[in-house]
Amino acid sequence: MPRSWAQTDVGAVRKHNEDNLLARPELGLWVVADGAGGHASGEVASGMIVEALSRLPADLSASELLSGIRVTITQVHDALRAEAARRGGDVMIASTFVGLMIRDRHFACLWAGDSRAYLLRGGVLQQITRDHSLVQELVEAGTLRPEDAEKHPHANIITRAVGRMTRCWSWTR
């Protein structure tokens, strides 16, 4: 069984940490959910993601696990949107999400938002997810240099999140 550990930190910008983590090495599942800062109940959204995924049974095959993750994230997404609608107005309850599944000889990375996954191979760290953010779209359009993205005044605007997306992206092999 793989060894793993998880840790979160409030960081230097915010006073309140809306992160939730899940490490289930026996299932081959690791998740980071970061409540969308500035939105109502981001910690509720990230907590719902982790809590729902923690209920996945341990005896699933790789394809069943991947399907289970996708179904679970869709269900949480729908529940968050319904709760936001119930609260009315412009309320959004959302969280970014990145999950890594390694089961048998299969792996998948699923994400929404700007929570990232990296691959460390041969001492080289390579980002394997693509940010769902306004600045990433500007970089890809050629109107913003990558080195200017982090300090851009709209660097915190995400274009997808659980509770505010049409679907998760995934990279599998």
Side-chain angles (χ1 to χ4, degrees), residues 71-171:
V71 166
T72 299
I73 292 298
T74 299
Q75 289 170 343
V76 171
H77 170 72
D78 293 343
L80 292 172
R81 290 180 56 92
E83 178 59 20
R86 187 190 68 73
R87 292 185 185 187
D90 292 332
V91 172
M92 183 186 319
I93 306 171
S95 176
T96 65
F97 158 82
V98 62
L100 175 64
M101 180 206 87
I102 303 173
R103 189 83 170 162
D104 303 323
R105 296 180 53 105
H106 305 278
F107 71 88
C109 180
L110 298 96
W111 75 98
D114 59 358
S115 290
R116 295 177 176 173
Y118 293 86
L119 173 66
L120 178 62
R121 181 176 284 157
V124 177
L125 197 59
Q126 175 186 357
Q127 183 177 336
I128 61 171
T129 55
R130 175 192 167 275
D131 288 359
H132 299 127
S133 67
L134 177 61
V135 294
Q136 182 64 42
E137 290 177 6
L138 294 173
V139 167
E140 290 174 3
T143 58
L144 182 67
R145 296 181 315 170
E147 58 270 20
D148 296 331
E150 192 173 316
K151 299 213 184 296
H152 192 276
H154 299 298
N156 63 330
I157 297 177
I158 56 174
T159 56
R160 290 186 182 202
V162 179
R164 184 205 158 124
M165 65 173 186
T166 55
R167 70 181 188 95
C168 282
W169 287 61
S170 64
W171 180 70

Side-chain angles (χ1 to χ4, degrees), residues 22 24 27 29 31 45 47-57 60 64-80 97 110 162-163 165 168:
L22 178 65
R24 292 194 57 197
L27 184 59
L29 179 61
V31 172
M48 284 177 65
I49 291 168
V50 166
E51 195 275 326
L53 290 170
S54 72
R55 293 191 310 257
L56 289 170
L60 300 175
E64 290 169 333
L65 178 56
L66 182 57
S67 177
I69 295 166
R70 288 181 169 161
V71 166
T72 299
I73 292 298
T74 299
Q75 289 170 343
V76 171
H77 170 72
D78 293 343
L80 292 172
F97 158 82
L110 298 96
V162 179
M165 65 173 186
C168 282

